[in-house]
Amino acid sequence: MSDGEEDLSDVEQEDEKEEIPDFPLTEDLVGENLSLLCKTSNGLAHAYVRLDLHDKQVTDISVLSCYIHLRYLDLSENSLREISALNALTHLLTLKVDNNLLTSPELSELPYLQVASFANNRISTTKGVTHPSLEHLNLNGNQILEVTDLDKLDKLQTLELRSNQLTSTTGIEDLPSLRKLYLAANNITLLDGLNTLVSLQFLHLRNNKLITLDGFTDQMVNLQYINLR
C-alpha cells in the first residue's frame, strides 16, 4: 500500500470514529422513563409530566411532539443536533439539553418555560431564546461570540455564559431582572452596558482579558459581589 493510500485510510477511519449511528427515540423508551403523574392543565385528566432521557444515545426526538403535557424534560448526554420537536411542548417548565451537538438554542416561544440549560454544546448564537417566563438560562461551554436578541427575557434572573468566546458584555443590557451573571473564562476586554443592570447582585468575570474596569456605575446599586480573579 502506498503512503497516499495509507493516509486516505487513516482519514476514513477517523470519519468512522466520528460518525454517530442513528438512534431515534421510541414510544417504548419514552414510556419507560416517564414519571410524576399530575392533572393536565384543563384539570379534566391526568398525564405524566416528567421525562428523564439522560444519556440514552438518542439522535432524534421527533416522537416527543406528541407528549404535549410534559413539564420537566432532561435530554442531556445524548447526540441531538436539533430539538424542533419541542416546539409543541407549550407546558414545559424546565428543559435540560446539556452535552449534545446543538448549534442553536432556538425554539418557538414556550410561555411557561422557567429554566433552560444548553451547556456544553456547539452553540454559536443566543438568537431564538424568547421565552417570556424564563428565569434561568445556562449556555456555559459553547462557542458564542456575542450576545444578541435576549431583549424579551424580562424575567431572567440568572444568565450563565462561562467558557464561551465573548469579547465584550454588549447585548446583556436589556435584562432588567438579572441578578446573577456568570461570564468567567471568556475573552472579554471591555465592560459595556452593565450600567443598565440595576438588579444585578453577583458578577463573575474571572479568567478574562479585561484592560479596564470602566463600565461600573453608581446605578448598579444592588451589586454585592464581583469576582475578577
Side-chain angles (χ1 to χ4, degrees):
M1 181 182 294
S2 69
D3 291 342
E5 290 173 335
E6 288 178 357
D7 291 342
L8 181 59
S9 177
D10 290 342
V11 170
E12 290 173 348
Q13 288 177 7
E14 286 298 321
D15 288 343
E16 289 177 1
K17 290 179 183 178
E18 293 180 2
E19 186 175 346
I20 298 170
D22 288 338
F23 186 61
L25 182 61
T26 63
E27 291 185 359
D28 287 343
L29 186 56
V30 171
E32 292 169 5
N33 293 279
L34 284 168
S35 62
L36 191 59
L37 188 64
C38 293
K39 283 187 176 181
T40 56
S41 58
N42 61 14
L44 300 177
H46 287 78
Y48 289 103
V49 300
R50 185 187 301 277
L51 179 59
D52 186 352
L53 292 170
H54 177 92
D55 195 15
K56 301 296 183 182
Q57 302 180 349
V58 171
T59 59
D60 186 319
I61 56 169
S62 298
V63 69
L64 285 185
S65 62
C66 299
Y67 292 83
I68 60 173
H69 299 294
L70 286 176
R71 300 176 192 171
Y72 310 97
L73 180 58
D74 187 349
L75 294 167
S76 300
E77 303 283 353
N78 284 289
S79 299
L80 299 174
R81 297 183 185 276
E82 65 93 21
I83 53 174
S84 59
L86 304 185
N87 290 332
L89 308 187
T90 56
H91 296 289
L92 271 184
L93 297 175
T94 67
L95 172 63
K96 190 173 182 181
V97 206
D98 300 344
N99 296 292
N100 277 277
L101 304 173
L102 301 178
T103 57
S104 170
E106 185 168 5
L107 286 168
S108 297
E109 185 176 297
L110 300 175
Y112 305 111
L113 188 65
Q114 297 174 8
V115 178
S117 185
F118 299 90
N120 303 314
N121 278 275
R122 300 176 180 179
I123 293 170
S124 59
T125 178
T126 58
K127 290 182 179 180
V129 183
T130 59
H131 320 296
S133 298
L134 198 63
E135 296 180 359
H136 190 144
L137 176 60
N138 184 347
L139 289 163
N140 291 335
N142 281 287
Q143 302 167 15
I144 298 169
L145 294 170
E146 62 178 346
V147 178
T148 59
D149 299 283
L150 296 184
D151 52 295
K152 293 187 178 181
L153 305 184
D154 290 342
K155 296 184 179 179
L156 192 69
Q157 298 182 17
T158 301
L159 176 59
E160 302 192 50
L161 284 163
R162 300 180 187 90
S163 299
N164 278 279
Q165 299 175 26
L166 299 174
T167 57
S168 82
T169 55
T170 302
I172 301 175
E173 60 270 11
D174 295 318
L175 299 171
S177 300
L178 195 66
R179 297 180 182 178
K180 298 180 180 180
L181 178 57
Y182 299 91
L183 297 170
N186 279 278
N187 298 311
I188 296 172
T189 58
L190 298 172
L191 303 177
D192 187 32
L194 296 184
N195 59 300
T196 64
L197 302 179
V198 295
S199 300
L200 193 65
Q201 299 175 356
F202 299 92
L203 176 60
H204 293 248
L205 278 165
R206 66 181 181 181
N207 295 329
N208 277 283
K209 300 178 180 180
L210 290 173
I211 58 176
T212 175
L213 293 181
D214 291 346
F216 295 103
T217 73
D218 293 340
Q219 293 174 271
M220 303 171 73
V221 294
N222 291 301
L223 190 59
Q224 302 173 10
Y225 177 86
I226 306 172
N227 188 337
L228 295 170
R229 291 181 296 168

